[in-house]
Amino acid sequence: MLEAQLEPYSRLRENLAARDRSLREKVMSLEEAAGLVQDGMKVGIGGSTMSRTPMALIWEIIRQRRQNLSCSRCIVSTDGDLLFGSGVSDHIITSWFAQGILWGLSKVMRHHVETQGKRYEEWSHMGVGMRLRAGGMGVPFLPMRAMLGSDVMRQRPEAKPIDCPFTGERLLLVPALNPDVALIHVQRCDAYGNAQIDGLQFMDIDLALAANKVILTTERIVSNDQIRRHPDQTKIAFLCVDAVVEVPYGAAPHECFGIYEPMLKHMDAYVKQVNADPVKGMQEYLEKYFYGPKNWNEYLELIGLEELLEASQRGRSIYND
Amino acid sequence: MLEAQLEPYSRLRENLAARDRSLREKVMSLEEAAGLVQDGMKVGIGGSTMSRTPMALIWEIIRQRRQNLSCSRCIVSTDGDLLFGSGVSDHIITSWFAQGILWGLSKVMRHHVETQGKRYEEWSHMGVGMRLRAGGMGVPFLPMRAMLGSDVMRQRPEAKPIDCPFTGERLLLVPALNPDVALIHVQRCDAYGNAQIDGLQFMDIDLALAANKVILTTERIVSNDQIRRHPDQTKIAFLCVDAVVEVPYGAAPHECFGIYEPMLKHMDAYVKQVNADPVKGMQEYLEKYFYGPKNWNEYLELIGLEELLEASQRGRSIYND
Amino acid sequence: MTEASNYTASEILAILASRQLKDGQVVFAGVGTPLLAATLAQQLRCPGLTILFEGGVVGAFVEAGKLPPSTNDQRCTKRANMVLGSADVLLLLQRGYVDIGFMGGAQIDQFGNLNSSFIGDPAAPKTRLPGTGGGNDISSLTNMIVAMKHEKRRFVEKVDFITSPGFIRGGNSRRESGLPAGGMFRVITELAIFGFDETTRRMRVLALNPGVSREEVQDNTGFKLEFDANLHVTEPPTTRELQILRQLDPERLFTA
Amino acid sequence: MTEASNYTASEILAILASRQLKDGQVVFAGVGTPLLAATLAQQLRCPGLTILFEGGVVGAFVEAGKLPPSTNDQRCTKRANMVLGSADVLLLLQRGYVDIGFMGGAQIDQFGNLNSSFIGDPAAPKTRLPGTGGGNDISSLTNMIVAMKHEKRRFVEKVDFITSPGFIRGGNSRRESGLPAGGMFRVITELAIFGFDETTRRMRVLALNPGVSREEVQDNTGFKLEFDANLHVTEPPTTRELQILRQLDPERLFTA
């Protein structure tokens, strides 16, 4: 298990050397971008809980019936339900996995973990963060002071408690996490992949550096000139990015900071349906909202214009005085 | 030496627990703020080279004739000359120490290191960065892949090469650096110490987190309301900050991003004078520019309005299209 | 202060929890009751209370009637002092910037260990719970206040799984596990307020909520409780506390 | 291309160094000749060259006539793609994002080790030099091009102090020291262009600059040089190269 998780430095360097990191346009369709995600890959998912979830990419990956994905995210919400429920993933690395605090336990997660043998691999929130940070820094581990003494640590032989060679203190070394591909949704980026992120960044900056490939979806594509007027606002550099897809409402029904809040009517209905029957309820949800629509805009139409507008009004209100 | 450098976690926690981290006004005079720096302290200096140097604080500390300071900064410029030349510091931790690439070697540094027994403790630039980052994270070390194999490492027994417990790879563990006090100059902050930094951040964010006390000088103090309209632009949180001083041109004759570029006429004259005679030249410079003026504005007058205006014009030009 | 007479169990829980906070403290608050209680304290008594959220928020001021559905939503950031990465806000705990961690709990034991991961044998669980989130980090790195529902199945002798460490096996076992800082400080329920013995680190009753008897607390607890020598009865919620609480959560998201 | 006939040693150094870069590469450039040479390449042949600076700049486009006095000045950031912390830009090297490190040098030895720390015995140095800056990090973590003045006292058999590692003691000693990636790729001087033997890792002459003889190079070098079997003479600077270079540095800050 350890070997599968920790990529040797030589392979990380080879992967990076082989990537085209030049300043070049990399705009493509959602279909093409999702095609970069291959069966069996380690997929790092940006955002957290119901915020800036790269939902359009997850939607398209599920439509393309990918298999055996090992997914990681700091905190998992309905994205995790959908990844398990659709069969594209059988392994999720995270610190918290339900639909959202508002709804209690996820019956979908419970079904797949308790009876279907799918793996929810639990680390502390900081544990996930330090693993991605190590991955982004190009070191095999980082030391931390949490998880020690708990059963969360006891379940994770991948992490190594040590006595500090400087102070003798007990520390936990957590191994780097370098996903094969990262899926990240941002408010805006240019055609080269220079991305600005407003508000909560979560672990997206470390994730973008750690991954061997990065797919960005963005609410809108802006000019490179606009980016370069405020280079200190660039949060992800073009040289980390392999694909850019413009997808308005690309995190729906979750939130995108400053643009829309979560679409809670849709979420409520979703939770009711899948928790009532995690198999059939989920299958029907996927048929209607994922497999059925011809394209992403048709999916948004199913959520409904009224809910989109109302979520947008709430989203923009963060900037109201 | 090691023990002096690495603070035990218990002491770091005690120091922090004793600090008043509440949301409170902490505006004071330059004299009061510099008074927080005590003889023998470890002083972390923000900015880099000729950029955002907390010069007004250094100026006042030198006027107050502090002694035996151990100073650290990622890259040292004329600030290092002045700290050695004035006698306030006998130990500087950095990766590069001269007046600036334009002027070659610093005769002042050479004099004090080669013949006066003062210590220039050299780490790689990333080495300084990882030490401060470890300090800011509350861990005793961070691993890195540089310095290995070099004489820079061989001169630093404080760093420990190890074989990675995960991969067997050779790594260097560098010890945390937690200065007693950090001096940082910013473009703007509020009375509580919430600071925004435009442009190059250097290592100031890690430094602010690592230090046991933080003194901010700022080009201007803005309202807490203004800060809270864009909380994702706050780079240093008020709870890390112990003193706020408003000092326009507080980095002169160095640069402050977007406000003024370096005052190169003054710098040229300075370098000529001190390199011609590192003792007498320095003493005369300090008398005229440091000990002589009644206050910081008188120092600025000695630099001259014309040079201030010209540097400001160049400084603002970064925002021109 | 006028005493209020009509309140729900959730309401007294939030109000008593909020009273544990002191002005000037730095508090890392979870969503739900902790967020609500911290905001109540901030509005009522502690204008200088600094609230941190796991999503990456420092110095939050949550608006009445706009409670965030999680601590990772944009509502947490409105008029906050700082927004940063979520690993970085957790590192503030590790560095020592935080006085109090403030969380809810699903299952707790006599040493204050919390379980939010598994009911039953973790290898073949009866119920897979959502997991730690930042709970493990918070409880490993600072002093904890936990606000939770008081039920026998939630107050157990030994949790099925230590998700967020309290005093582990009591005595010095927390420190010996590599956790030299922090530890369980208070547990607040709708029945009582609990502290922990300085030596044994076992949970003990410090105060009973108004109208609650020793027996009622013991009957709803799955292990033998000790009662503090200075056991007293908590002041009931005031109308002012209740009024502000209800303004904060008019939709009764967390106080139903 | 028209050949230029009148140029300074600094100018041919910058021009030949710039020719080593390829479009699409990611280059970490030091101040002075490297910055100038990288910008020249970017303007002349390599519009997709990504330039990084130690101060924390990604994708820089330095303006003609506005050369920064160091890589930590605001001028480096004008119209750049990204500005970030200086530890973070160095970590891009460690992660592997950078193809080429491009630096000046004060003293170099036969294995490409650079010294910018001490002349004489480090314990009691004749001269304390400024030190590594990011040089050690860059040379430890990526492939290096070094542009420097060619003098006998600068090209020595063994440097007094290894500030920035080349191939250490030759052979596999670099890898065995814990530096599996990168290494010295090219050294450019006003006399010649040097590479390093694949096995011994000793410096060898790949090409002579126009009008320079083997003897002249050897006479100015403090150790025995090997000459490549395919030794050739470099094309002289073109008028176009010289013209753009002079536009970039009209005040001759770095090309006097």
Side-chain angles (χ1 to χ4, degrees):
Chain A
M1 171 142 16
L2 254 184
E3 283 170 38
Q5 295 222 351
L6 199 57
E7 292 210 44
Y9 190 51
S10 57
R11 193 154 67 219
L12 284 177
R13 299 278 312 212
E14 281 160 24
N15 284 339
L16 250 177
R19 275 163 86 184
D20 182 352
R21 283 154 288 133
S22 67
L23 193 69
R24 63 189 170 88
E25 295 202 6
K26 48 197 77 152
V27 179
M28 58 182 79
S29 69
L30 194 57
E31 291 77 4
E32 285 172 293
L36 299 175
V37 181
Q38 307 282 312
D39 287 353
M41 273 190 172
K42 291 185 288 179
V43 181
I45 300 175
S48 179
T49 327
M50 291 188 290
S51 296
R52 276 200 304 94
T53 313
M55 195 61 87
L57 274 169
I58 291 171
W59 179 84
E60 180 60 26
I61 288 166
I62 289 173
R63 287 156 62 90
Q64 291 189 13
R65 315 252 178 191
R66 215 58 77 236
Q67 288 194 315
N68 299 118
L69 302 184
S70 167
C71 299
S72 56
R73 193 179 189 212
C74 52
I75 292 182
V76 161
S77 167
T78 59
D79 48 307
D81 278 6
L82 296 161
L83 289 162
F84 271 177
S86 65
V88 309
S89 174
D90 47 17
H91 180 212
I92 291 183
I93 298 170
T94 188
S95 71
W96 194 90
F97 188 161
Q99 289 137 350
I101 289 274
L102 295 172
W103 301 289
L105 310 188
S106 163
K107 292 275 175 60
V108 178
M109 180 274 273
R110 287 192 56 195
H111 169 75
H112 287 283
V113 171
E114 293 169 13
T115 74
Q116 303 298 304
K118 300 206 175 168
R119 288 192 295 148
Y120 158 19
E121 180 183 323
E122 183 175 343
W123 294 75
S124 81
H125 199 196
M126 191 160 81
V128 177
M130 291 303 101
R131 294 192 61 193
L132 288 171
R133 184 155 295 176
M137 290 169 74
V139 289
F141 65 81
L142 280 179
M144 58 182 270
R145 296 183 188 273
M147 285 178 63
L148 290 161
S150 72
D151 290 324
V152 179
M153 179 185 84
R154 223 154 276 125
Q155 277 209 330
R156 299 267 68 83
E158 304 90 342
K160 289 184 193 290
I162 60 154
D163 295 322
C164 173
F166 294 91
T167 62
E169 295 159 358
R170 200 84 178 142
L171 296 168
L172 187 68
L173 306 185
V174 293
L177 179 57
N178 291 101
D180 296 311
V181 60
L183 318 178
I184 299 175
H185 184 69
V186 300
Q187 283 89 357
R188 71 196 77 80
C189 70
D190 66 19
Y192 308 135
N194 287 303
Q196 296 180 344
I197 296 176
D198 300 331
L200 296 157
Q201 304 169 8
F202 306 112
M203 300 179 182
D204 290 7
I205 293 171
D206 291 322
L207 171 60
L209 291 166
N212 287 316
K213 207 184 280 280
V214 175
I215 305 175
L216 291 186
T217 54
T218 179
E219 291 289 325
R220 64 192 172 111
I221 294 176
V222 299
S223 71
N224 181 244
D225 267 346
Q226 178 170 334
I227 292 290
R228 285 167 58 192
R229 248 173 240 126
H230 298 286
D232 56 2
Q233 297 304 308
T234 307
K235 294 299 195 306
I236 296 173
F238 70 90
L239 44 72
C240 306
V241 176
D242 302 88
V244 168
V245 188
E246 192 176 66
V247 194
Y249 291 103
H254 290 185
E255 113 177 351
C256 185
F257 190 102
I259 305 185
Y260 45 92
E261 281 200 348
M263 296 156 198
L264 288 177
K265 273 186 215 134
H266 184 86
M267 297 282 288
D268 273 333
Y270 161 84
V271 170
K272 196 165 292 176
Q273 175 170 338
V274 297
N275 281 358
D277 186 337
V279 176
K280 207 157 142 277
M282 174 58 78
Q283 192 52 40
E284 285 168 7
Y285 182 84
L286 288 171
E287 286 297 342
K288 176 166 176 191
Y289 289 97
F290 276 52
Y291 304 129
K294 277 209 278 301
N295 53 43
W296 178 252
N297 285 354
E298 265 196 34
Y299 162 85
L300 295 177
E301 266 180 42
L302 291 174
I303 292 179
L305 182 65
E306 190 167 324
E307 179 140 29
L308 290 182
L309 289 180
E310 193 264 339
S312 304
Q313 186 182 37
R314 284 186 283 121
R316 291 188 305 263
S317 76
I318 194 78
Y319 293 116
N320 296 356
D321 253 339
Chain B
M1 168 138 26
L2 255 183
E3 283 169 36
Q5 293 222 350
L6 199 56
E7 292 210 43
Y9 189 53
S10 56
R11 194 152 68 219
L12 285 176
R13 298 280 310 216
E14 282 159 25
N15 284 339
L16 251 177
R19 276 165 84 184
D20 181 353
R21 284 154 287 132
S22 68
L23 194 69
R24 64 188 169 92
E25 296 204 6
K26 48 197 78 151
V27 178
M28 58 183 79
S29 70
L30 194 56
E31 291 77 5
E32 287 173 291
L36 299 174
V37 180
Q38 307 283 312
D39 288 352
M41 272 191 172
K42 293 185 288 178
V43 181
I45 301 174
S48 179
T49 328
M50 292 189 289
S51 296
R52 271 197 310 95
T53 312
M55 195 60 88
L57 274 169
I58 292 171
W59 179 85
E60 180 60 26
I61 288 165
I62 288 173
R63 285 157 63 92
Q64 293 188 13
R65 315 257 178 186
R66 215 58 76 235
Q67 288 194 315
N68 299 118
L69 302 183
S70 167
C71 299
S72 56
R73 192 181 191 210
C74 54
I75 292 183
V76 161
S77 168
T78 60
D79 48 307
D81 279 8
L82 296 160
L83 289 163
F84 272 175
S86 65
V88 308
S89 174
D90 47 17
H91 180 212
I92 292 184
I93 297 170
T94 188
S95 72
W96 194 90
F97 189 161
Q99 290 136 349
I101 288 274
L102 295 171
W103 300 290
L105 309 190
S106 162
K107 291 275 174 61
V108 179
M109 180 275 273
R110 287 192 56 195
H111 169 74
H112 287 282
V113 171
E114 293 169 14
T115 74
Q116 303 298 305
K118 299 204 177 169
R119 286 191 296 145
Y120 158 18
E121 180 183 323
E122 183 174 344
W123 294 76
S124 81
H125 198 197
M126 191 160 82
V128 177
M130 292 303 100
R131 294 192 61 193
L132 288 171
R133 184 155 296 178
M137 291 167 74
V139 289
F141 64 82
L142 281 179
M144 57 181 271
R145 298 183 186 273
M147 286 179 61
L148 290 161
S150 72
D151 290 324
V152 179
M153 178 184 84
R154 223 154 276 127
Q155 277 209 328
R156 300 268 66 85
E158 303 92 342
K160 291 186 191 288
I162 60 152
D163 295 323
C164 172
F166 294 92
T167 63
E169 295 160 358
R170 201 85 177 141
L171 296 167
L172 187 68
L173 306 185
V174 295
L177 179 56
N178 291 100
D180 296 311
V181 59
L183 319 177
I184 299 176
H185 184 69
V186 301
Q187 284 89 358
R188 74 196 74 80
C189 70
D190 66 20
Y192 309 135
N194 286 303
Q196 297 181 345
I197 297 176
D198 301 329
L200 296 158
Q201 307 168 4
F202 306 113
M203 298 178 184
D204 290 7
I205 293 170
D206 291 321
L207 171 59
L209 292 166
N212 287 316
K213 206 183 280 278
V214 175
I215 305 175
L216 290 187
T217 54
T218 178
E219 292 289 325
R220 63 191 173 108
I221 293 175
V222 300
S223 71
N224 181 245
D225 267 346
Q226 178 170 334
I227 293 291
R228 286 167 57 192
R229 246 173 241 127
H230 299 285
D232 55 1
Q233 297 305 306
T234 307
K235 294 299 197 301
I236 296 173
F238 70 91
L239 46 72
C240 307
V241 176
D242 302 88
V244 169
V245 189
E246 191 177 67
V247 195
Y249 291 103
H254 290 184
E255 112 175 353
C256 184
F257 191 102
I259 305 184
Y260 45 93
E261 281 201 348
M263 296 154 198
L264 288 176
K265 273 185 213 131
H266 184 86
M267 298 282 288
D268 272 331
Y270 161 85
V271 170
K272 197 166 288 174
Q273 176 171 334
V274 298
N275 280 359
D277 186 337
V279 177
K280 206 155 143 282
M282 174 58 80
Q283 192 53 40
E284 285 169 8
Y285 182 84
L286 288 172
E287 286 297 343
K288 176 168 178 189
Y289 289 97
F290 277 50
Y291 304 129
K294 276 208 280 299
N295 55 41
W296 178 253
N297 284 356
E298 264 195 37
Y299 162 84
L300 294 177
E301 264 181 40
L302 291 174
I303 292 179
L305 183 65
E306 191 167 324
E307 178 139 31
L308 290 183
L309 290 180
E310 193 262 340
S312 304
Q313 186 181 37
R314 283 186 282 120
R316 291 189 303 263
S317 76
I318 194 78
Y319 293 117
N320 296 354
D321 254 338
Chain C
M1 291 286 179
T2 332
E3 288 181 15
S5 48
N6 253 325
Y7 43 81
T8 67
S10 304
E11 284 173 338
I12 191 171
L13 187 57
I15 287 167
L16 298 193
S18 91
R19 290 186 189 166
Q20 294 293 326
L21 301 175
K22 297 197 189 93
D23 200 18
Q25 285 183 325
V26 179
V27 179
F28 204 107
V31 78
T33 302
L35 183 151
L36 200 56
T39 303
L40 176 62
Q42 192 183 48
Q43 298 207 353
L44 202 59
R45 296 180 298 109
C46 312
L49 188 75
T50 297
I51 303 177
L52 273 54
F53 294 131
E54 189 179 274
V57 184
V58 176
F61 291 87
V62 168
E63 286 181 286
K66 293 205 170 176
L67 298 180
S70 86
T71 53
N72 294 282
D73 287 71
Q74 68 172 29
R75 290 185 176 194
C76 296
T77 73
K78 182 93 188 260
R79 292 187 57 68
N81 283 273
M82 186 187 206
V83 163
L84 72 177
S86 36
D88 296 297
V89 78
L90 292 164
L91 288 170
L92 293 179
L93 285 157
Q94 184 165 279
R95 179 66 180 81
Y97 281 102
V98 180
D99 296 302
I100 296 285
F102 193 179
M103 281 168 43
Q107 190 187 56
I108 194 167
D109 70 17
Q110 58 180 333
F111 297 118
N113 301 302
L114 293 164
N115 174 19
S116 57
S117 299
F118 298 94
I119 301 294
D121 176 9
K126 190 174 151 291
T127 309
R128 184 50 162 117
L129 300 173
T132 158
N136 175 283
D137 305 309
I138 301 168
S139 66
S140 297
L141 296 167
T142 193
N143 297 306
M144 292 293 294
I145 299 174
V146 170
M148 60 186 283
K149 289 264 158 70
H150 205 129
E151 297 172 20
K152 200 160 194 162
R153 62 185 184 101
R154 293 175 184 272
F155 277 68
V156 297
E157 183 151 1
K158 189 172 183 313
V159 288
D160 295 331
F161 186 90
I162 300 181
T163 307
S164 301
F167 292 110
I168 318 260
R169 294 171 307 279
N172 291 320
S173 61
R174 178 183 167 98
R175 173 173 290 271
E176 284 158 8
S177 299
L179 304 175
M184 198 55 63
F185 173 61
R186 289 287 181 272
V187 177
I188 320 290
T189 77
E190 71 275 29
L191 299 184
I193 296 175
F194 304 83
F196 290 82
D197 184 273
E198 290 275 304
T199 309
T200 66
R201 299 308 198 175
R202 288 191 75 237
M203 199 187 289
R204 64 193 311 154
V205 186
L206 300 183
L208 298 169
N209 292 359
V212 176
S213 69
R214 290 181 181 225
E215 292 66 34
E216 193 177 350
V217 181
Q218 181 63 72
D219 286 351
N220 284 283
T221 302
F223 54 92
K224 178 94 178 66
L225 280 171
E226 287 163 43
F227 289 83
D228 196 81
N230 299 315
L231 185 75
H232 61 282
V233 175
T234 298
E235 295 292 319
T238 66
T239 50
R240 176 104 178 100
E241 285 172 323
L242 212 54
Q243 177 199 353
I244 302 218
L245 182 66
R246 287 176 181 170
Q247 280 168 9
L248 285 174
D249 189 13
E251 296 166 51
R252 302 274 180 130
L253 279 178
F254 301 112
T255 47
Chain D
M1 292 287 179
T2 331
E3 287 181 14
S5 47
N6 253 324
Y7 44 81
T8 67
S10 302
E11 285 174 338
I12 191 170
L13 187 58
I15 287 168
L16 298 193
S18 90
R19 289 184 189 166
Q20 294 293 326
L21 302 174
K22 297 199 190 96
D23 201 16
Q25 284 181 326
V26 179
V27 179
F28 203 107
V31 76
T33 302
L35 182 152
L36 199 56
T39 303
L40 176 63
Q42 192 183 46
Q43 298 207 351
L44 202 62
R45 296 179 299 108
C46 311
L49 189 74
T50 296
I51 302 177
L52 272 55
F53 295 130
E54 189 178 273
V57 185
V58 176
F61 291 87
V62 167
E63 286 181 286
K66 294 205 169 175
L67 298 180
S70 86
T71 52
N72 294 283
D73 288 72
Q74 68 173 29
R75 289 186 176 194
C76 295
T77 73
K78 181 90 188 260
R79 292 186 58 67
N81 283 274
M82 185 187 206
V83 163
L84 73 175
S86 35
D88 296 296
V89 76
L90 291 164
L91 287 170
L92 293 178
L93 285 156
Q94 184 164 279
R95 179 65 179 82
Y97 281 102
V98 180
D99 296 302
I100 295 285
F102 192 0
M103 282 168 45
Q107 190 187 56
I108 195 167
D109 70 17
Q110 59 180 332
F111 297 117
N113 301 302
L114 293 163
N115 174 19
S116 57
S117 298
F118 297 95
I119 300 295
D121 176 9
K126 190 172 151 295
T127 310
R128 186 47 162 118
L129 301 173
T132 157
N136 175 284
D137 306 308
I138 302 168
S139 66
S140 296
L141 296 166
T142 191
N143 298 304
M144 293 293 294
I145 299 175
V146 169
M148 61 185 283
K149 289 266 157 67
H150 205 129
E151 295 172 23
K152 201 160 192 161
R153 65 187 182 99
R154 293 177 183 271
F155 276 69
V156 298
E157 184 151 357
K158 188 172 183 318
V159 287
D160 296 330
F161 186 91
I162 300 182
T163 306
S164 302
F167 291 110
I168 318 259
R169 295 172 307 279
N172 290 321
S173 60
R174 179 182 166 98
R175 173 172 289 272
E176 284 158 8
S177 299
L179 304 175
M184 200 52 66
F185 174 61
R186 290 285 181 273
V187 177
I188 320 288
T189 78
E190 71 275 29
L191 300 183
I193 296 174
F194 304 83
F196 290 81
D197 184 274
E198 290 274 303
T199 309
T200 67
R201 299 306 197 176
R202 289 191 74 239
M203 201 187 287
R204 64 194 309 156
V205 187
L206 300 182
L208 299 168
N209 291 2
V212 177
S213 69
R214 290 182 179 225
E215 293 67 32
E216 194 177 348
V217 182
Q218 181 62 72
D219 286 353
N220 284 285
T221 302
F223 53 90
K224 179 90 177 69
L225 280 171
E226 288 164 40
F227 290 83
D228 196 82
N230 299 315
L231 184 77
H232 61 283
V233 175
T234 297
E235 295 292 321
T238 65
T239 51
R240 177 105 178 101
E241 284 171 323
L242 212 54
Q243 178 200 350
I244 302 216
L245 181 65
R246 288 174 180 170
Q247 281 169 7
L248 284 174
D249 189 13
E251 297 165 49
R252 301 274 180 133
L253 280 178
F254 301 111
T255 48

